[in-house]
Amino acid sequence: MLPSVLIGPNPELNRELMSLLVGVPAIEVVRVLTSYPTTEELSRIIRVQGVSLIFLCVDDFPRVENLAASVEELIAGFPIISISSRTDTQLLTELMRAGIRSHLNFPISGIGLAEAIESVRRRLKKHPLVVPGGSDLYAFLPANPGVGSSTIAMSISCALAEDLGARTLLLDCDLAAGAIL
């Protein structure tokens, strides 16, 4: 199973791709972004949600080029399948320069999608991704009692769980004055 993220501001393209991906058991779309994220946002999504493949709409190429470069810097060889309604040959040259190896034209064919996914699976089998992890443990230590460290810890753990889909465990280890049950 390849956890994937779909990034695209084009709703028609997103709908078509999602309808085709429903029939592909090897793909699990863990996040759909309807606008281009910041490089920091994308980096967090890749690390926290264990993403191994990005489907990327390349209609706004300058932003895409920036995202592709940041992903390549974070994880060399990270698989990106680009999708576009543009059909010019210059786009393919630009994509190759950006390090994107697979491209699908809109309207997307099921055969083309299956070939692109199989190509990514073969590449990942030969060269598994090494995703740098974030911190696994966060500690909130108050300077004085009653300054709100339990509230901050609870808010951050909820944000990690809800916004990024991270699995969290919150422990309040202050036996004398712990507020979280």
mmCIF file of all heavy atoms in Angstrom, residues 126-164:
data_model
loop_
_atom_site.group_PDB
_atom_site.id
_atom_site.type_symbol
_atom_site.label_atom_id
_atom_site.label_comp_id
_atom_site.label_asym_id
_atom_site.label_seq_id
_atom_site.Cartn_x
_atom_site.Cartn_y
_atom_site.Cartn_z
ATOM 1 N N LYS A 126 13.424 -1.022 -5.450
ATOM 2 C CA LYS A 126 14.880 -0.976 -5.620
ATOM 3 C C LYS A 126 15.535 0.014 -4.676
ATOM 4 O O LYS A 126 16.609 -0.235 -4.143
ATOM 5 C CB LYS A 126 15.236 -0.561 -7.054
ATOM 6 C CG LYS A 126 15.122 -1.639 -8.062
ATOM 7 C CD LYS A 126 15.612 -1.108 -9.402
ATOM 8 C CE LYS A 126 15.516 -2.147 -10.488
ATOM 9 N NZ LYS A 126 15.979 -1.635 -11.776
ATOM 10 N N HIS A 127 14.886 1.171 -4.495
ATOM 11 C CA HIS A 127 15.461 2.262 -3.695
ATOM 12 C C HIS A 127 14.426 2.746 -2.685
ATOM 13 O O HIS A 127 13.732 3.738 -2.931
ATOM 14 C CB HIS A 127 15.887 3.431 -4.587
ATOM 15 C CG HIS A 127 16.771 3.033 -5.717
ATOM 16 N ND1 HIS A 127 18.093 2.694 -5.533
ATOM 17 C CD2 HIS A 127 16.524 2.910 -7.043
ATOM 18 C CE1 HIS A 127 18.620 2.385 -6.701
ATOM 19 N NE2 HIS A 127 17.688 2.490 -7.631
ATOM 20 N N PRO A 128 14.298 2.074 -1.529
ATOM 21 C CA PRO A 128 13.309 2.488 -0.526
ATOM 22 C C PRO A 128 13.596 3.907 -0.025
ATOM 23 O O PRO A 128 14.747 4.335 0.043
ATOM 24 C CB PRO A 128 13.481 1.472 0.603
ATOM 25 C CG PRO A 128 14.277 0.359 0.041
ATOM 26 C CD PRO A 128 15.044 0.891 -1.118
ATOM 27 N N LEU A 129 12.525 4.591 0.329
ATOM 28 C CA LEU A 129 12.663 5.955 0.830
ATOM 29 C C LEU A 129 13.208 5.959 2.247
ATOM 30 O O LEU A 129 12.856 5.107 3.058
ATOM 31 C CB LEU A 129 11.302 6.653 0.840
ATOM 32 C CG LEU A 129 10.655 6.913 -0.496
ATOM 33 C CD1 LEU A 129 9.276 7.530 -0.296
ATOM 34 C CD2 LEU A 129 11.516 7.822 -1.343
ATOM 35 N N VAL A 130 14.046 6.922 2.530
ATOM 36 C CA VAL A 130 14.530 7.148 3.890
ATOM 37 C C VAL A 130 13.993 8.515 4.291
ATOM 38 O O VAL A 130 14.521 9.544 3.893
ATOM 39 C CB VAL A 130 16.068 7.115 3.961
ATOM 40 C CG1 VAL A 130 16.539 7.385 5.370
ATOM 41 C CG2 VAL A 130 16.588 5.786 3.457
ATOM 42 N N VAL A 131 12.900 8.504 5.046
ATOM 43 C CA VAL A 131 12.240 9.744 5.439
ATOM 44 C C VAL A 131 12.800 10.181 6.782
ATOM 45 O O VAL A 131 12.733 9.429 7.760
ATOM 46 C CB VAL A 131 10.709 9.546 5.543
ATOM 47 C CG1 VAL A 131 10.032 10.820 5.977
ATOM 48 C CG2 VAL A 131 10.156 9.042 4.232
ATOM 49 N N PRO A 132 13.357 11.402 6.848
ATOM 50 C CA PRO A 132 13.839 11.875 8.137
ATOM 51 C C PRO A 132 12.661 12.098 9.068
ATOM 52 O O PRO A 132 11.665 12.710 8.687
ATOM 53 C CB PRO A 132 14.542 13.200 7.805
ATOM 54 C CG PRO A 132 13.965 13.626 6.513
ATOM 55 C CD PRO A 132 13.529 12.379 5.797
ATOM 56 N N GLY A 133 12.752 11.560 10.254
ATOM 57 C CA GLY A 133 11.659 11.687 11.212
ATOM 58 C C GLY A 133 11.748 12.968 12.011
ATOM 59 O O GLY A 133 12.796 13.578 12.125
ATOM 60 N N GLY A 134 10.634 13.380 12.516
ATOM 61 C CA GLY A 134 10.597 14.525 13.427
ATOM 62 C C GLY A 134 10.825 14.035 14.840
ATOM 63 O O GLY A 134 11.151 12.875 15.084
ATOM 64 N N SER A 135 10.645 14.894 15.769
ATOM 65 C CA SER A 135 10.788 14.501 17.166
ATOM 66 C C SER A 135 9.651 13.575 17.536
ATOM 67 O O SER A 135 8.511 13.771 17.126
ATOM 68 C CB SER A 135 10.772 15.732 18.061
ATOM 69 O OG SER A 135 11.851 16.567 17.753
ATOM 70 N N ASP A 136 9.972 12.565 18.300
ATOM 71 C CA ASP A 136 8.949 11.619 18.723
ATOM 72 C C ASP A 136 8.393 11.958 20.099
ATOM 73 O O ASP A 136 7.372 11.435 20.496
ATOM 74 C CB ASP A 136 9.530 10.204 18.756
ATOM 75 C CG ASP A 136 9.895 9.711 17.378
ATOM 76 O OD1 ASP A 136 9.201 10.080 16.422
ATOM 77 O OD2 ASP A 136 10.869 8.963 17.274
ATOM 78 N N LEU A 137 9.078 12.816 20.821
ATOM 79 C CA LEU A 137 8.680 13.133 22.185
ATOM 80 C C LEU A 137 8.751 14.637 22.384
ATOM 81 O O LEU A 137 9.754 15.266 22.070
ATOM 82 C CB LEU A 137 9.622 12.432 23.177
ATOM 83 C CG LEU A 137 9.426 12.731 24.647
ATOM 84 C CD1 LEU A 137 8.090 12.171 25.124
ATOM 85 C CD2 LEU A 137 10.560 12.129 25.448
ATOM 86 N N TYR A 138 7.674 15.181 22.908
ATOM 87 C CA TYR A 138 7.630 16.602 23.240
ATOM 88 C C TYR A 138 7.347 16.709 24.727
ATOM 89 O O TYR A 138 6.476 16.012 25.243
ATOM 90 C CB TYR A 138 6.522 17.326 22.460
ATOM 91 C CG TYR A 138 6.712 17.274 20.970
ATOM 92 C CD1 TYR A 138 6.072 16.312 20.205
ATOM 93 C CD2 TYR A 138 7.546 18.172 20.328
ATOM 94 C CE1 TYR A 138 6.242 16.263 18.832
ATOM 95 C CE2 TYR A 138 7.727 18.133 18.958
ATOM 96 C CZ TYR A 138 7.068 17.174 18.220
ATOM 97 O OH TYR A 138 7.245 17.120 16.861
ATOM 98 N N ALA A 139 8.073 17.575 25.412
ATOM 99 C CA ALA A 139 7.879 17.760 26.848
ATOM 100 C C ALA A 139 7.580 19.230 27.121
ATOM 101 O O ALA A 139 8.192 20.124 26.536
ATOM 102 C CB ALA A 139 9.126 17.336 27.613
ATOM 103 N N PHE A 140 6.623 19.461 27.986
ATOM 104 C CA PHE A 140 6.252 20.814 28.387
ATOM 105 C C PHE A 140 6.487 20.925 29.889
ATOM 106 O O PHE A 140 5.789 20.294 30.668
ATOM 107 C CB PHE A 140 4.783 21.087 28.030
ATOM 108 C CG PHE A 140 4.521 20.966 26.558
ATOM 109 C CD1 PHE A 140 4.164 19.749 25.999
ATOM 110 C CD2 PHE A 140 4.669 22.062 25.730
ATOM 111 C CE1 PHE A 140 3.945 19.638 24.644
ATOM 112 C CE2 PHE A 140 4.449 21.962 24.360
ATOM 113 C CZ PHE A 140 4.093 20.740 23.822
ATOM 114 N N LEU A 141 7.460 21.710 30.250
ATOM 115 C CA LEU A 141 7.848 21.843 31.656
ATOM 116 C C LEU A 141 7.575 23.275 32.120
ATOM 117 O O LEU A 141 8.168 24.220 31.603
ATOM 118 C CB LEU A 141 9.331 21.509 31.834
ATOM 119 C CG LEU A 141 9.748 20.130 31.305
ATOM 120 C CD1 LEU A 141 11.251 19.979 31.327
ATOM 121 C CD2 LEU A 141 9.092 19.049 32.135
ATOM 122 N N PRO A 142 6.694 23.454 33.097
ATOM 123 C CA PRO A 142 6.369 24.802 33.549
ATOM 124 C C PRO A 142 7.462 25.383 34.446
ATOM 125 O O PRO A 142 8.137 24.668 35.175
ATOM 126 C CB PRO A 142 5.075 24.602 34.347
ATOM 127 C CG PRO A 142 5.178 23.205 34.859
ATOM 128 C CD PRO A 142 5.910 22.429 33.788
ATOM 129 N N ALA A 143 7.614 26.702 34.370
ATOM 130 C CA ALA A 143 8.546 27.387 35.265
ATOM 131 C C ALA A 143 7.927 27.524 36.645
ATOM 132 O O ALA A 143 8.626 27.448 37.660
ATOM 133 C CB ALA A 143 8.894 28.766 34.709
ATOM 134 N N ASN A 144 6.631 27.717 36.677
ATOM 135 C CA ASN A 144 5.886 27.837 37.942
ATOM 136 C C ASN A 144 4.595 27.043 37.815
ATOM 137 O O ASN A 144 4.103 26.839 36.702
ATOM 138 C CB ASN A 144 5.524 29.309 38.208
ATOM 139 C CG ASN A 144 6.746 30.164 38.432
ATOM 140 O OD1 ASN A 144 7.638 29.789 39.177
ATOM 141 N ND2 ASN A 144 6.797 31.323 37.763
ATOM 142 N N PRO A 145 4.026 26.617 38.928
ATOM 143 C CA PRO A 145 2.742 25.913 38.845
ATOM 144 C C PRO A 145 1.638 26.852 38.342
ATOM 145 O O PRO A 145 1.643 28.041 38.616
ATOM 146 C CB PRO A 145 2.457 25.468 40.274
ATOM 147 C CG PRO A 145 3.645 25.811 41.081
ATOM 148 C CD PRO A 145 4.546 26.667 40.276
ATOM 149 N N GLY A 146 0.708 26.296 37.564
ATOM 150 C CA GLY A 146 -0.452 27.057 37.132
ATOM 151 C C GLY A 146 -0.220 28.010 35.979
ATOM 152 O O GLY A 146 -1.018 28.936 35.782
ATOM 153 N N VAL A 147 0.835 27.823 35.186
ATOM 154 C CA VAL A 147 1.096 28.730 34.072
ATOM 155 C C VAL A 147 0.523 28.226 32.742
ATOM 156 O O VAL A 147 0.683 28.880 31.730
ATOM 157 C CB VAL A 147 2.607 29.033 33.920
ATOM 158 C CG1 VAL A 147 3.124 29.786 35.126
ATOM 159 C CG2 VAL A 147 3.391 27.763 33.678
ATOM 160 N N GLY A 148 -0.130 27.077 32.745
ATOM 161 C CA GLY A 148 -0.819 26.612 31.541
ATOM 162 C C GLY A 148 -0.086 25.585 30.704
ATOM 163 O O GLY A 148 -0.453 25.357 29.553
ATOM 164 N N SER A 149 0.929 24.940 31.228
ATOM 165 C CA SER A 149 1.665 23.963 30.414
ATOM 166 C C SER A 149 0.795 22.757 30.061
ATOM 167 O O SER A 149 0.913 22.213 28.962
ATOM 168 C CB SER A 149 2.955 23.526 31.107
ATOM 169 O OG SER A 149 2.665 22.893 32.327
ATOM 170 N N SER A 150 -0.114 22.339 30.939
ATOM 171 C CA SER A 150 -1.014 21.222 30.620
ATOM 172 C C SER A 150 -1.964 21.603 29.492
ATOM 173 O O SER A 150 -2.232 20.804 28.594
ATOM 174 C CB SER A 150 -1.820 20.808 31.852
ATOM 175 O OG SER A 150 -0.973 20.286 32.850
ATOM 176 N N THR A 151 -2.455 22.818 29.508
ATOM 177 C CA THR A 151 -3.354 23.287 28.459
ATOM 178 C C THR A 151 -2.632 23.358 27.118
ATOM 179 O O THR A 151 -3.162 22.944 26.079
ATOM 180 C CB THR A 151 -3.920 24.677 28.830
ATOM 181 O OG1 THR A 151 -4.586 24.571 30.089
ATOM 182 C CG2 THR A 151 -4.890 25.172 27.769
ATOM 183 N N ILE A 152 -1.413 23.863 27.126
ATOM 184 C CA ILE A 152 -0.621 23.942 25.892
ATOM 185 C C ILE A 152 -0.327 22.542 25.359
ATOM 186 O O ILE A 152 -0.457 22.278 24.167
ATOM 187 C CB ILE A 152 0.679 24.737 26.130
ATOM 188 C CG1 ILE A 152 0.340 26.208 26.371
ATOM 189 C CG2 ILE A 152 1.640 24.588 24.961
ATOM 190 C CD1 ILE A 152 1.516 27.039 26.835
ATOM 191 N N ALA A 153 0.045 21.632 26.237
ATOM 192 C CA ALA A 153 0.342 20.259 25.824
ATOM 193 C C ALA A 153 -0.892 19.603 25.205
ATOM 194 O O ALA A 153 -0.798 18.939 24.162
ATOM 195 C CB ALA A 153 0.838 19.449 27.011
ATOM 196 N N MET A 154 -2.051 19.820 25.825
ATOM 197 C CA MET A 154 -3.280 19.233 25.299
ATOM 198 C C MET A 154 -3.633 19.844 23.940
ATOM 199 O O MET A 154 -3.999 19.130 23.001
ATOM 200 C CB MET A 154 -4.441 19.448 26.272
ATOM 201 C CG MET A 154 -5.722 18.785 25.820
ATOM 202 S SD MET A 154 -7.051 18.922 27.004
ATOM 203 C CE MET A 154 -7.408 20.669 26.876
ATOM 204 N N SER A 155 -3.504 21.149 23.794
ATOM 205 C CA SER A 155 -3.825 21.811 22.528
ATOM 206 C C SER A 155 -2.914 21.337 21.401
ATOM 207 O O SER A 155 -3.371 21.086 20.278
ATOM 208 C CB SER A 155 -3.705 23.330 22.680
ATOM 209 O OG SER A 155 -4.649 23.797 23.611
ATOM 210 N N ILE A 156 -1.645 21.206 21.675
ATOM 211 C CA ILE A 156 -0.698 20.769 20.643
ATOM 212 C C ILE A 156 -0.938 19.318 20.254
ATOM 213 O O ILE A 156 -0.903 18.964 19.080
ATOM 214 C CB ILE A 156 0.746 21.029 21.088
ATOM 215 C CG1 ILE A 156 0.997 22.533 21.075
ATOM 216 C CG2 ILE A 156 1.744 20.292 20.201
ATOM 217 C CD1 ILE A 156 2.343 22.969 21.561
ATOM 218 N N SER A 157 -1.210 18.454 21.230
ATOM 219 C CA SER A 157 -1.460 17.052 20.882
ATOM 220 C C SER A 157 -2.751 16.916 20.065
ATOM 221 O O SER A 157 -2.816 16.120 19.133
ATOM 222 C CB SER A 157 -1.490 16.166 22.123
ATOM 223 O OG SER A 157 -2.585 16.507 22.943
ATOM 224 N N CYS A 158 -3.762 17.717 20.372
ATOM 225 C CA CYS A 158 -5.002 17.700 19.576
ATOM 226 C C CYS A 158 -4.743 18.212 18.164
ATOM 227 O O CYS A 158 -5.264 17.657 17.197
ATOM 228 C CB CYS A 158 -6.079 18.545 20.249
ATOM 229 S SG CYS A 158 -6.768 17.789 21.725
ATOM 230 N N ALA A 159 -3.954 19.258 18.042
ATOM 231 C CA ALA A 159 -3.638 19.801 16.716
ATOM 232 C C ALA A 159 -2.868 18.784 15.884
ATOM 233 O O ALA A 159 -3.135 18.622 14.687
ATOM 234 C CB ALA A 159 -2.838 21.091 16.851
ATOM 235 N N LEU A 160 -1.916 18.092 16.484
ATOM 236 C CA LEU A 160 -1.165 17.062 15.758
ATOM 237 C C LEU A 160 -2.097 15.952 15.285
ATOM 238 O O LEU A 160 -1.993 15.475 14.155
ATOM 239 C CB LEU A 160 -0.053 16.476 16.633
ATOM 240 C CG LEU A 160 1.171 17.340 16.852
ATOM 241 C CD1 LEU A 160 2.072 16.723 17.922
ATOM 242 C CD2 LEU A 160 1.948 17.500 15.556
ATOM 243 N N ALA A 161 -3.009 15.543 16.148
ATOM 244 C CA ALA A 161 -3.922 14.453 15.797
ATOM 245 C C ALA A 161 -4.942 14.878 14.750
ATOM 246 O O ALA A 161 -5.180 14.152 13.783
ATOM 247 C CB ALA A 161 -4.627 13.952 17.055
ATOM 248 N N GLU A 162 -5.535 16.053 14.912
ATOM 249 C CA GLU A 162 -6.613 16.467 14.011
ATOM 250 C C GLU A 162 -6.103 17.032 12.692
ATOM 251 O O GLU A 162 -6.593 16.681 11.630
ATOM 252 C CB GLU A 162 -7.499 17.496 14.704
ATOM 253 C CG GLU A 162 -8.298 16.894 15.841
ATOM 254 C CD GLU A 162 -9.059 17.932 16.650
ATOM 255 O OE1 GLU A 162 -9.106 19.113 16.225
ATOM 256 O OE2 GLU A 162 -9.602 17.573 17.698
ATOM 257 N N ASP A 163 -5.124 17.916 12.739
ATOM 258 C CA ASP A 163 -4.665 18.593 11.527
ATOM 259 C C ASP A 163 -3.730 17.744 10.684
ATOM 260 O O ASP A 163 -3.764 17.803 9.469
ATOM 261 C CB ASP A 163 -3.965 19.913 11.867
ATOM 262 C CG ASP A 163 -4.916 20.931 12.478
ATOM 263 O OD1 ASP A 163 -6.141 20.733 12.333
ATOM 264 O OD2 ASP A 163 -4.443 21.897 13.099
ATOM 265 N N LEU A 164 -2.863 16.966 11.322
ATOM 266 C CA LEU A 164 -1.885 16.190 10.565
ATOM 267 C C LEU A 164 -2.171 14.695 10.575
ATOM 268 O O LEU A 164 -1.498 13.926 9.913
ATOM 269 C CB LEU A 164 -0.481 16.437 11.117
ATOM 270 C CG LEU A 164 0.034 17.870 10.979
ATOM 271 C CD1 LEU A 164 1.398 17.997 11.611
ATOM 272 C CD2 LEU A 164 0.082 18.284 9.527
#
